[in-house]
Amino acid sequence: MGIIFVYSFLIAFALPGPSEVVLVAPIDLGFPPWAHLGSIMLVSATGKAVGSLFAFHIGQEVKQSGPVTRWLRRSRWNVMEWSEKRSVELAQQYGYGGLAMALSVPFFPDTISIYAFAVLERDYTRFAVATFLGSLGRLVVTVAFVGGLFTVL
Protein backbone atom coordinates (compact mmCIF):
# COMPACT_ATOMS: atom_id res chain seq x y z
CA MET A 1 0.00 0.00 0.00
CA GLY A 2 2.96 2.27 0.59
CA ILE A 3 4.03 1.85 -3.03
CA ILE A 4 0.51 2.74 -4.19
CA PHE A 5 0.58 5.88 -2.02
CA VAL A 6 4.02 6.94 -3.29
CA TYR A 7 3.13 6.23 -6.93
CA SER A 8 -0.10 8.22 -6.63
CA PHE A 9 1.77 11.03 -4.86
CA LEU A 10 4.31 11.19 -7.70
CA ILE A 11 1.63 10.97 -10.43
CA ALA A 12 0.05 14.15 -9.06
CA PHE A 13 3.04 16.36 -9.76
CA ALA A 14 5.86 14.60 -11.56
CA LEU A 15 5.16 11.32 -13.33
CA PRO A 16 3.39 11.32 -16.70
CA GLY A 17 1.56 8.05 -16.37
CA PRO A 18 -1.84 6.51 -15.78
CA SER A 19 -2.98 6.62 -12.19
CA GLU A 20 -5.47 3.82 -12.91
CA VAL A 21 -2.66 1.24 -12.94
CA VAL A 22 -2.94 0.98 -9.15
CA LEU A 23 -6.21 -0.90 -9.60
CA VAL A 24 -4.29 -3.96 -10.80
CA ALA A 25 -1.61 -3.84 -8.10
CA PRO A 26 -0.61 -7.44 -7.31
CA ILE A 27 -1.06 -7.26 -3.56
CA ASP A 28 -3.05 -9.55 -1.29
CA LEU A 29 -4.36 -7.91 1.84
CA GLY A 30 -6.57 -10.82 2.82
CA PHE A 31 -9.67 -8.63 2.45
CA PRO A 32 -12.81 -9.46 0.52
CA PRO A 33 -12.60 -8.15 -3.08
CA TRP A 34 -14.71 -5.03 -2.40
CA ALA A 35 -12.60 -4.07 0.65
CA HIS A 36 -9.37 -4.80 -1.23
CA LEU A 37 -10.37 -2.54 -4.14
CA GLY A 38 -11.79 0.10 -1.81
CA SER A 39 -8.55 0.21 0.21
CA ILE A 40 -6.46 0.64 -2.91
CA MET A 41 -8.76 3.43 -4.12
CA LEU A 42 -8.65 5.31 -0.81
CA VAL A 43 -4.87 5.03 -0.48
CA SER A 44 -4.38 6.12 -4.10
CA ALA A 45 -6.77 9.08 -3.80
CA THR A 46 -5.07 10.14 -0.56
CA GLY A 47 -1.62 9.89 -2.17
CA LYS A 48 -2.77 11.93 -5.14
CA ALA A 49 -4.36 14.56 -2.88
CA VAL A 50 -1.13 14.91 -0.88
CA GLY A 51 0.90 15.06 -4.11
CA SER A 52 -1.51 17.65 -5.45
CA LEU A 53 -0.90 19.79 -2.38
CA PHE A 54 2.80 19.59 -3.16
CA ALA A 55 2.01 20.67 -6.75
CA PHE A 56 -0.25 23.39 -5.34
CA HIS A 57 2.63 24.75 -3.28
CA ILE A 58 4.91 24.64 -6.32
CA GLY A 59 2.20 26.42 -8.34
CA GLN A 60 2.02 29.16 -5.74
CA GLU A 61 5.78 29.60 -5.98
CA VAL A 62 5.71 29.57 -9.81
CA LYS A 63 3.26 32.48 -9.78
CA GLN A 64 6.05 34.46 -8.20
CA SER A 65 8.69 33.14 -10.60
CA GLY A 66 8.86 35.30 -13.69
CA PRO A 67 11.51 33.29 -15.63
CA VAL A 68 9.61 29.99 -15.31
CA THR A 69 6.33 31.55 -16.41
CA ARG A 70 8.01 33.36 -19.32
CA TRP A 71 9.72 30.14 -20.44
CA LEU A 72 6.42 28.20 -20.36
CA ARG A 73 4.63 30.94 -22.30
CA ARG A 74 7.35 30.95 -25.00
CA SER A 75 7.48 27.16 -25.28
CA ARG A 76 6.68 25.62 -28.63
CA TRP A 77 3.17 24.51 -27.62
CA ASN A 78 2.45 27.37 -25.20
CA VAL A 79 1.36 25.01 -22.44
CA MET A 80 0.56 27.88 -20.11
CA GLU A 81 -1.93 29.53 -22.44
CA TRP A 82 -3.75 26.31 -23.27
CA SER A 83 -3.94 24.99 -19.71
CA GLU A 84 -4.79 28.38 -18.25
CA LYS A 85 -7.58 28.89 -20.77
CA ARG A 86 -9.16 25.50 -20.10
CA SER A 87 -8.63 25.71 -16.36
CA VAL A 88 -9.99 29.24 -16.14
CA GLU A 89 -13.09 28.08 -18.03
CA LEU A 90 -13.57 25.15 -15.65
CA ALA A 91 -12.78 27.23 -12.56
CA GLN A 92 -15.13 30.03 -13.56
CA GLN A 93 -17.96 27.72 -14.51
CA TYR A 94 -17.62 25.00 -11.88
CA GLY A 95 -15.02 26.11 -9.32
CA TYR A 96 -13.32 23.30 -7.43
CA GLY A 97 -16.05 20.97 -8.71
CA GLY A 98 -14.58 21.57 -12.18
CA LEU A 99 -11.21 20.36 -10.97
CA ALA A 100 -12.79 17.25 -9.46
CA MET A 101 -14.68 16.62 -12.72
CA ALA A 102 -11.52 17.07 -14.82
CA LEU A 103 -9.64 14.63 -12.59
CA SER A 104 -12.46 12.07 -12.82
CA VAL A 105 -11.83 11.42 -16.51
CA PRO A 106 -9.98 8.09 -16.79
CA PHE A 107 -6.72 7.94 -18.75
CA PHE A 108 -6.64 11.72 -19.24
CA PRO A 109 -3.37 13.29 -18.03
CA ASP A 110 -4.24 15.11 -14.86
CA THR A 111 -0.92 16.71 -14.00
CA ILE A 112 -1.62 19.72 -16.27
CA SER A 113 -5.04 20.25 -14.67
CA ILE A 114 -3.53 20.04 -11.21
CA TYR A 115 -0.80 22.58 -11.98
CA ALA A 116 -3.13 24.91 -13.85
CA PHE A 117 -5.57 24.99 -10.95
CA ALA A 118 -2.65 25.30 -8.53
CA VAL A 119 -1.51 28.46 -10.27
CA LEU A 120 -5.03 29.92 -10.39
CA GLU A 121 -6.36 29.03 -6.95
CA ARG A 122 -5.30 29.71 -3.37
CA ASP A 123 -7.30 27.51 -0.98
CA TYR A 124 -5.22 24.49 0.04
CA THR A 125 -8.07 22.67 1.79
CA ARG A 126 -10.58 22.96 -1.06
CA PHE A 127 -7.86 22.03 -3.53
CA ALA A 128 -6.99 18.89 -1.54
CA VAL A 129 -10.65 17.87 -1.21
CA ALA A 130 -11.26 18.42 -4.94
CA THR A 131 -8.21 16.38 -5.94
CA PHE A 132 -9.13 13.60 -3.51
CA LEU A 133 -12.71 13.40 -4.80
CA GLY A 134 -11.60 13.69 -8.44
CA SER A 135 -8.98 10.96 -8.00
CA LEU A 136 -11.42 8.68 -6.22
CA GLY A 137 -14.05 9.43 -8.88
CA ARG A 138 -11.58 8.55 -11.62
CA LEU A 139 -10.92 5.14 -10.09
CA VAL A 140 -14.64 4.48 -9.54
CA VAL A 141 -15.41 5.43 -13.16
CA THR A 142 -12.58 3.20 -14.37
CA VAL A 143 -13.80 0.22 -12.32
CA ALA A 144 -17.39 0.79 -13.51
CA PHE A 145 -16.28 1.08 -17.14
CA VAL A 146 -14.03 -1.99 -17.07
CA GLY A 147 -16.66 -3.94 -15.11
CA GLY A 148 -19.26 -2.95 -17.71
CA LEU A 149 -16.99 -4.12 -20.52
CA PHE A 150 -16.50 -7.50 -18.89
CA THR A 151 -20.25 -7.81 -18.35
CA VAL A 152 -20.93 -7.10 -22.03
CA LEU A 153 -18.22 -9.47 -23.22
Side-chain angles (χ1 to χ4, degrees), residues 145-153:
F145 178 74
V146 171
L149 276 178
F150 282 118
T151 300
V152 170
L153 297 174

Side-chain angles (χ1 to χ4, degrees), residues 16-76:
S19 59
E20 296 83 359
V21 74
V22 299
L23 294 172
V24 294
I27 57 174
D28 183 12
L29 302 171
F31 297 154
W34 63 269
H36 175 80
L37 196 56
S39 298
I40 288 172
M41 290 174 153
L42 288 173
V43 168
S44 177
T46 302
K48 195 181 278 185
V50 173
S52 295
L53 284 176
F54 187 73
F56 188 85
H57 179 72
I58 292 170
Q60 298 303 307
E61 296 296 321
V62 166
K63 281 196 280 192
Q64 311 303 323
S65 175
V68 172
T69 303
R70 281 192 304 276
W71 177 79
L72 286 171
R73 287 191 191 285
R74 287 185 298 209
S75 69
R76 182 176 177 182

Side-chain angles (χ1 to χ4, degrees), residues 74-92:
R74 287 185 298 209
S75 69
R76 182 176 177 182
W77 296 283
N78 200 348
V79 173
M80 288 292 286
E81 182 181 336
W82 181 85
S83 62
E84 282 178 3
K85 182 179 178 186
R86 298 296 177 260
S87 296
V88 167
E89 289 170 3
L90 279 172
Q92 288 173 339

Side-chain angles (χ1 to χ4, degrees), residues 4-13 15 17-20 22 41-56 102-111 114 127-128 130-139:
I4 290 171
F5 180 88
V6 170
Y7 177 76
S8 298
F9 175 86
L10 292 172
I11 281 289
F13 75 93
L15 295 178
S19 59
E20 296 83 359
V22 299
M41 290 174 153
L42 288 173
V43 168
S44 177
T46 302
K48 195 181 278 185
V50 173
S52 295
L53 284 176
F54 187 73
F56 188 85
L103 294 176
S104 292
V105 178
F107 308 107
F108 184 78
D110 52 3
T111 308
I114 289 171
F127 189 80
T131 56
F132 177 83
L133 293 175
S135 299
L136 190 57
R138 171 188 220 123
L139 296 174

